[in-house]
Structure formats: structure tokens, C-alpha cells
């Protein structure tokens, strides 16, 4: 691509050419100074540009498309405020281990560095560093090819993460000979190389596993990310070991698999003697492997690509540092040399708890409560999703998150996309848009009313691009619930209260989407089925009893309560 003068191109065109050459199919962003033309040129060369209403959602879309494809998702932002809006998503991608690149225009270095007050002036690269896996700046068109290659390799190698790539206004308009520019472009070779663990690490792990009387495998989203689906399935099934899926690893094996111990979670964590972590961290989501939930004598095997993760929370007896695919295939090769102990007693005990708990769950799901509670509402959705098993389920909220995770079964890998490692709210619409665009499948977003509010304006984006997204807002009038009173007695709503009786469905009507207000399980079933069948943007306001939510959902223990009453 050349500019007006035949033998010249500029930074903006070359940047687009470099992305195109590296196989970038989609850019998620918000345009403005100085990147508007860059987005236009991207469209011109056939890169899809999805324009959002807020950079955080664009960033979330890029992050989750990285998770789905193992290629860095690209987010484009304008300088200073746009950059900062996107940075939350970049930080979140890094924490979650999703590969993404936030490419941001920036103002004039000479003015920024002397702090002379440029339009949207900020030392963006240095601001980004603590939140990104790495931050780079391209100052000259000659460096674009290397800058893009470094960003890609950093995002996808080892533990994936978010990379910040700063492109200055001066660089975007600087010219370069078109032939020199074209010759400079290249695609990095083997950007995410296999990491093969040592034989001794593999044997140590197998030895420990073969001694276990009550083994357990915990499958995390690192395993989902690695796309070693066959190896995971084979290892679990050939070893016969019960497993627990972490939230975004649900569906790697179907949730109704006979070895799935999800509904006996407390029992298996409390009793397992050897726990094999498969791309899952012993962070807060697993109470750091400590405390009353856990067998204090449990020994750990940990498969992870990042050596620094090992021993981060509990001593790991058998670390296997490598990529999940390579590690598991080596372990599979050794399975016959290290036969597992008979599982009968342990597996029978788990099955007994599973069946008790599923009876309790069935009772909750058959609730006839009116207005609906989380369970009879989710039962209605689950009835519909049973007929649409291969779609994406995006999920955020507090109770809406916890109860959906427990009720909605997943049957395919990487279909459940949720709040992830930070338990962050506001990912819902960005994730939904990316899942529809990148994953090319319908999406249902099951959203708490508060969670939905963080990115609710993106319903316009969903309608503008005519995406097959059905949003169900679990509306209980507030954060956690809608019944709190203002402790000061004034007329302002309590901190957790949102508009009573809000009609979120009306929002999507403004942009031509389909809307439903569901007050009974039957209405909800019809609405969700209608949305999924039509493949059109749909928003269902699902009226939930305002008094039923638990404060902070299942993690109320993390929420400090004032001990002194005034
Ligand atoms: P979850 O929240 O599902 O428990 P985490 O995000 O806590 O999962 O853990 C995922 C782990 O997987 C991280 O420690 C990360 O380093 C690791 N990981 C990511 N990709 C791979 C891979 N390809 N092979 C092995 N480990 C991986
Ligand atoms: Mg985890």
C-alpha cells in the first residue's frame, strides 16, 4: 500500500500492512485522534474493524478473542483517556493469561517528555508497564515490523498476557520508501514454542500419582487455552481420576461426564490426597490450597508453563513445567508403567455425594417461586440451552455468576467465558461481541443487572454489527439484591440499590434489537428460545425476586463487615 507519492508509504499504512501480514483478521477499538485513518486503512485491506462505545469493552473483546484463538487479540485506542480506558482490559488479560495487544496512538514525545501540556498527552508506555506483560514503543516506521513481531511473540509465548504497543503521532505520519517498507515486514517463526518438561519431572509426577489413594485432577483455563483437548480427555479417561473443572475449563470434558466431581467439590477438595493441577493456579479461586476446604496433607502435582507459578501458595511435590499438550502426552506415554490405584472406594464415595447434591439441586431448580429466583430462572434457560449445546455462554454478576456456573452444564471446550481471575464485572458485552465475531457462533450472555450496567451501551455495537447475541439481564433491582435501605434514613437509594423495576429490555429497542420482559419461567424460556432461534440481537429483562441475592454471592467471606454498629 502506498500513499499519494508513488514510492513512499507512511507509518499508518505500514502498521496496517504489518498486522495484515501477521494474520490479524479483526481489530476491536474506538477511533479518534490519532488512529482514525489507521482503522480506515485496516478496513481497506480487509481487516475487520469492530468499533465499540468504550475502550474497556474493545479491550475485553480483544482479550477473549486471544483466549479463544491462541493468537493475540488486537485492541486499538486513542491517546491518554482512550488508552487508560483500555488499560483495565489489558491488565485483566495479563492477570488471566490471555494474549492481547493494545495498540494505542500517543501524542508528541517532545511535548510529553517536557510536560508541556499536549492534547491528550500522557507518558503512556511507562503507565502501561506495570499492567502489561511488556510495553514497547515504535518511534520510526523502520521499526514497525520488529515492534509488531515483538508484541506478538511476547503476547503468546510462555504464559500469555497483554502487551502494550505505543504508536506515536509522529511515527504514524512519517514517510518511508515503500519498497524498503515492504521488505522490512516479516512473520515471527514459532512465536509460542512448545515447552517440553524433563523426563525426570514427568516420572516424579507419575510416581506420586500412582501412589495416590484419592487422586484428583483440577482442570484450569490454562488447559482450556492450550487447546490440548484430546490429551486432556485421554489422560482423564485413561487414568480414571475424578476431576474438577475450574469455571472457564468447564466443557473441556462435558459437565455430565461420570468422572466430573463438580457437584462434590467440597468433598473432593477436603479429602483428595494427591491433587494434579492442570493449568490452574492455587490462587484465591482455590482458597490458595489452604484452609478448612482443603486436606492439609494433600500433595500436589502442578502442570504449568510458567515455572514461577510453582510453590506460589503451597509447596508443590511434583512440578511439571511445560506446555499442557507436551506434558500430558509424555505423562500419557508413562501411564501403563505407573498404573493407578483402584479407584472404587474413592469414586463410590464421590458418586454418593454427587447424587445427594444433585437431588438437592433438583429441588431448588423445581422451585415455583414467583417472582422468579435464580434457580427457577436458570432452569428455564438450561432447558433451552440443552438444545443449543455448542453456543457461547458469557456470564458475569455475583449470584448470577455463581448460580449459573453451577446450573448450566457445558459440553464443549472454551464456550464458557466469565469474570475470570479477578472476578471482574464489565466483561460481558466485550466478551459476547468477540465470541460472536471471532468464534462465529451464537452467544447467550447471562448477566447480573449491575454487571450488565458496566458495558450496557455496547448493545448498540451488538445491534450495529447485527450479532447473534441474546442477553438475559437477571434484574433484581440492585447489586446483590434490591431491598437494602439507606441507613441514614434519607430518600436516596441504598448503595446497593438500582432503579426499582427497571426495564433493561427497552434499551435494545432504541437500536432495533428484539426485546422481551420475562416474569415467569415460561416467558423466559420463550424469550431465550426466540432470541437464539432468530440469531438477532435480543435483550431479555428477566425479573428476579429483589430479596433473593446473597451479598457478594458465594464469596461473602471476602467482604469485610463493619463490626461496630453506630
Ligand atoms: P483457572 O482460573 O481456571 O484456575 P488460572 O488462570 O488460575 O486458571 O491458571 C492458568 C494457568 O495455566 C496459569 O498459571 C498459566 O501459566 C497456565 N498456562 C497457560 N497456558 C498454558 C499452556 N499452554 N500450558 C501450560 N500451562 C499454561
Ligand atoms: Mg485459577
Amino acid at each position: 500500500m502506498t500513499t499519494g507519492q508513488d514510492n513512499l508509504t507512511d507509518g499508518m499504512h505500514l502498521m496496517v500492512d504489518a498486522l495484515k501480514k501477521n494474520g490479524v483478521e479483526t481489530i476491536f477499538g474506538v477511533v479518534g485522534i490519532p488512529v482514525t485513518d489507521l482503522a480506515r486503512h485496516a478496513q481497506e485491506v480487509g481487516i475487520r474493524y469492530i468499533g465499540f462505545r468504550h475502550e474497556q469493552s474493545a479491550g475485553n473483546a480483544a482479550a477473549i478473542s486471544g483466549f479463544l484463538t491462541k493468537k493475540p487479540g488486537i485492541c486499538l485506542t486513542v491517546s491518554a483517556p482512550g488508552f487508560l480506558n483500555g488499560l483495565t482490559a489489558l491488565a485483566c488479560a495479563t492477570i488471566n493469561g490471555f494474549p492481547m495487544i493494545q495498540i494505542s496512538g500517543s501524542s508528541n514525545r517532545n511535548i510529553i517528555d517536557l510536560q508541556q501540556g499536549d492534547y491528550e498527552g500522557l507518558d503512556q508506555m511507562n503507565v502501561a508497564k506495570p499492567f502489561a506483560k511488556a510495553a514497547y514503543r515504535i518511534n520510526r516506521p523502520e521499526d514497525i515490523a520488529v515492534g509488531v513481531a515483538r508484541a506478538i511473540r511476547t503476547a503468546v509465548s510462555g504464559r500469555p498476557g497483554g502487551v502494550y504497543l505505543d504508536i506515536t503521532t509522529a511515527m504514524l505520519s512519517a514517510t518511508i520508501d515503500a519498497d524498503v517498507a515492504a521488505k522490512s515486514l516479516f512473520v515471527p517463526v514459532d512465536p509460542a514454542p512448545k515447552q517440553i518438561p524433563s523426563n525426570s519431572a514427568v516420572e516424579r509426577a507419575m510416581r506420586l500419582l500412582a501412589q495416590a489413594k484419592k487422586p484428583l485432577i483440577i482442570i484450569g483455563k490454562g488447559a482450556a487455552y492450550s487447546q490440548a483437548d484430546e490429551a486432556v480427555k485421554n489422560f482423564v479417561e485413561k487414568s480414571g481420576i475424578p476431576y474438577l473443572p475450574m469455571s472457564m475449563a468447564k466443557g473441556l470434558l462435558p459437565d455430565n461426564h461420570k468422572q466430573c466431581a463438580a457437584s462434590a467439590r467440597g468433598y473432593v477438595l477436603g479429602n483428595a490426597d494427591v491433587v494434579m493441577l492442570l493449568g490452574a493456579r492455587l490462587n484465591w479461586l482455590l482458597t490458595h490450597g489452604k484452609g478448612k476446604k482443603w486436606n492439609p496433607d494433600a500433595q500436589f502435582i502442578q502442570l504449568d508453563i510458567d515455572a514461577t507459578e510453582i510453590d506460589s501458595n503451597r509447596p508443590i511435590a511434583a512440578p511439571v513445567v511445560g506446555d499442557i499438550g507436551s506434558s500430558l502426552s509424555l505423562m500419557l506415554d508413562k501411564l501403563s508403567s505407573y498404573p493407578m490405584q483402584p479407584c472404587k472406594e474413592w469414586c463410590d464415595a464421590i458418586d454418593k455425594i454427587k447424587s445427594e447434591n444433585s437431588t438437592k439441586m433438583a429441588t431448588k431448580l423445581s422451585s415455583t417461586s414467583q417472582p422468579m429466583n435464580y434457580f427457577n430462572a436458570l432452569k428455564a434457560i438450561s432447558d433451552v440451552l440443552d438444545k443449543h449445546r455448542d453456543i457461547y455462554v458469557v456470564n458475569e454478576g455475583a449470584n448470577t455468576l455463581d448460580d449459573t456456573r453451577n446450573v448450566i452444564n457445558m459440553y464443549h471446550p472454551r464456550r464458557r467465558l466469565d469474570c475470570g481471575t479477578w472476578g471482574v464485572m464489565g466483561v460481558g458485552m466485550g466478551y459476547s461481541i468477540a465470541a460472536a465475531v471471532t468464534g462465529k457462533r451464537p452467544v447467550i450472555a447471562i448477566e447480573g443487572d449491575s454487571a450488565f450496567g458496566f458495558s450496557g451501551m455496547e448493545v448498540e455495537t451488538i445491534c450495529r454489527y447485527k450479532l447473534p447475541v441474546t442477553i438475559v439481564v437477571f434484574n433484581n433491582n440492585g447489586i446483590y439484591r434490591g431491598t437494602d435501605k439507606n441507613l441514614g434514613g434519607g430518600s436516596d437509594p441504598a448503595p446497593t440499590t438500582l432503579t426499582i423495576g427497571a426495564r433493561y429490555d427497552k434499551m435494545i429497542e432504541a437500536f432495533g434489537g428484539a426485546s422481551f420482559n420475562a416474569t415467569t419461567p415460561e416467558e423466559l424460556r420463550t424469550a431465550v428460545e426466540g432470541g437464539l432461534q432468530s440469531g438477532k440481537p435480543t435483550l431479555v429483562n428477566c425479573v428476579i425476586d429483589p430479596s433473593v441475592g446473597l451479598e457478594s454471592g458465594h464469596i461473602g467471606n471476602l467482604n469485610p463487615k463493619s463490626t461496630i454498629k453506630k
Side-chain angles (χ1 to χ4, degrees), residues 96 159-160 220-222 225-226 246 279-281 283 285 303-306 309 322-324 421:
N96 278 284
R159 176 185 286 167
K221 63 179 171 306
Y225 174 81
S226 77
M246 298 299 288
R281 286 171 281 189
N283 57 14
L285 285 154
L303 276 66
D304 205 291
I305 202 154
D306 185 353
E309 187 58 39
D323 70 274
I324 297 276
T421 306

Side-chain angles (χ1 to χ4, degrees), residues 312-352:
S312 59
N313 285 272
R314 260 182 89 156
I316 303 297
V320 181
V321 175
D323 70 274
I324 297 276
S326 303
S327 303
L328 271 186
S329 68
L330 291 173
M331 289 177 76
L332 262 169
D333 290 345
K334 300 219 185 277
L335 205 51
S336 52
S337 321
Y338 292 91
M340 300 293 117
Q341 305 274 331
C343 176
K344 180 136 179 43
E345 222 174 293
W346 172 231
C347 292
D348 284 353
I350 296 171
D351 284 345
K352 183 161 168 281

Side-chain angles (χ1 to χ4, degrees), residues 403-463:
D403 296 336
T404 301
R405 185 177 54 236
N406 289 343
V407 172
I408 303 292
N409 274 350
M410 303 306 297
Y411 299 94
H412 296 275
R414 295 171 296 282
R415 293 290 183 275
R416 187 184 151 82
L417 312 172
D418 67 25
C419 306
T421 306
W422 261 348
V424 65
M425 298 298 133
V427 294
M429 296 303 102
Y431 281 10
S432 297
I433 291 166
V437 168
T438 309
K440 300 190 170 54
R441 275 197 180 77
V443 179
I444 182 165
I446 304 176
E447 301 271 312
D449 49 349
S450 150
F452 172 69
F454 287 86
S455 62
M457 192 63 205
E458 302 299 344
V459 297
E460 190 277 326
T461 311
I462 291 168
C463 290

